[in-house]
Amino acid sequence: MSFDRIDRRRFFLLAAAPLLAAQKAAVPHAREALLQLNGYAVNAETPIELLTEYLTPNELFFVRSHWIPRTPDPKRWRLTIDGEVDRSLHFTLSELKKLPRTEVTCVLQCAGNGRGLYSPPLPGVQWRFGAAGNARWTGVRVRDVLDRAGLKGSAKHLHAFGSDVPPDKVPPFHRSIEIEKILADGILAFSMNGEPLPVAHGAPLRLIVPGWAGDHWMKWLVRLSPQVEPQKGFYMETAYRYPLAPGAAGVTFKPEEMSPVTELFVKSNITTAPQRAQAGHAQEIRGFAFSGAPDIAKVEISDDDGATWQDTILDHRHDPYAWRLWSYRWTPARPGVARLCARATDSRGNIQPREAVWNQSGYLHNGWHFVDVEVTS
Ligand SMILES: Nc1nc2c(c(=O)[nH]1)N[C@H]1C(S)=C(S)[C@@H](COP(=O)(O)O)O[C@H]1N2
Ligand SMILES: [Mo]
């Protein structure tokens, strides 16, 4: 068994419910024969030390699902387009695949990534670092599909619907997004890193919204409906809102003090650092950085709690809204505990702050990532 395989196994043991493994292993017709008896979803993050590749392998990519997917039968699956259009349309997957193809490599990050790092602590899934990944998404432009239906000028918000259904009286995950953003670079993806889109990630079709948080990236899409007004409901009016201005940690913001979560914030994480090192001996420190701005300009590293900073080397691979791998050859000067931290600056000049802005939902954490290294003489 290769090292790679052991790592992937470890990921499933650590993070994913047995369900995820079952979903992967089962052949399609066998899966359809199984009867789903509960409403538990899979919420699994990738261990940060495994996020070292430019393209995050599909099997390692974090999964965040509010409820268990109701996988659409690919033969009967249709994408319905209705609402503010000249004519309603239905697309089969093969019809969609006849439209011009497009491809984008970009980061998918859950708005709640890092929630478990906030203090005072917050309810909700306790994501730390690994609810983010970078993938190559292939599909068709949302713009091309809406154009075929004759998009009306009155349409301001694209309502998106997936096929998953919540248990009992729980509100459905119904969402909408500003039409300008989705027309600019939104994609309907059927492929992830060159493979068919996996069920856990929204097969047969999901939305890709480059630079924006994961709540906009609707999985298991069945309907798109351009509308005059935004979607209503819990997942628009209560969830996925972020303060307009920072407040005091632990003090709940009022609805009018918040606006919807859209672009990701500039951040970097350390993926690779030794637990122990010897003074005077060089070590390779690695990580990634990304932002809701189209590229990363610089990543710096500090070993003195942010008092002084050194530029890291940025990897040559980059795409707008993708993450940028970085590395730094660090030589610890003296014995003791060294506190490493990294800070990214994006192409718009936004600098990653030491502390993230506390908010009651625990969204968009982007404070510095500290890693302690024990340095021996
Ligand atoms: N239909 C549907 N789409 C969804 C979700 C969901 O629960 N149902 N979760 C959203 C959230 S909050 C995130 S962060 C991303 C996660 O995508 P992934 O599981 O492929 O990593 O999917 C989004 N799309
Ligand atoms: Mo999310």
Side-chain angles (χ1 to χ4, degrees), residues 42 61-67 108-112 131 137 161-164 173 192 200-202 206 213-221 240:
V42 172
F61 210 99
F62 86 94
V63 178
R64 198 287 183 250
S65 300
H66 288 80
W67 309 285
L108 165 55
Q109 180 185 234
C110 179
W137 312 94
F161 302 87
S163 59
D164 49 340
F173 187 68
M192 178 177 181
H201 298 293
R206 81 173 307 166
D215 50 294
H216 297 281
W217 296 45
M218 185 66 72
K219 303 197 275 190
W220 311 296
L221 265 180
Y240 301 118

Side-chain angles (χ1 to χ4, degrees), residues 5 14 19 43 62 75 81 116 124 132 137 147 170 208 237 279 304 338 345 351 358 375 377:
R5 281 200 65 87
L14 266 176
L19 172 83
N43 290 299
F62 86 94
K75 287 196 211 77
I81 314 290
W137 312 94
D147 278 352
V170 177
I208 305 302
E237 289 160 307
D304 54 10
T345 304
I351 304 175
W358 189 95
V375 183
S377 55

Side-chain angles (χ1 to χ4, degrees), residues 158-160 173-176 215-216 218 231 235-236 240:
L158 181 66
H159 295 213
F173 187 68
H174 287 171
R175 301 271 309 154
S176 65
D215 50 294
H216 297 281
M218 185 66 72
Q231 182 89 249
Y235 289 98
M236 293 298 297
Y240 301 118

Side-chain angles (χ1 to χ4, degrees), residues 289-364:
F290 61 85
S291 176
D295 209 349
I296 286 294
K298 138 170 116 168
V299 180
E300 299 158 289
I301 190 164
S302 167
D303 66 359
D304 54 10
D305 203 25
T308 59
W309 295 93
Q310 307 297 324
D311 280 348
T312 68
I313 295 170
L314 299 184
D315 189 77
H316 67 279
R317 288 164 293 183
H318 62 116
D319 291 277
Y321 309 110
W323 69 25
R324 193 97 191 236
L325 300 181
W326 56 264
S327 64
Y328 182 74
R329 237 175 110 77
W330 172 64
T331 306
R334 66 196 76 78
V337 176
R339 286 217 97 180
L340 295 178
C341 58
R343 138 182 120 173
T345 304
D346 70 21
S347 56
R348 291 188 201 135
N350 300 307
I351 304 175
Q352 183 181 358
R354 183 185 185 103
E355 299 282 348
V357 171
W358 189 95
N359 60 100
Q360 64 255 34
S361 301
Y363 292 140
L364 296 175

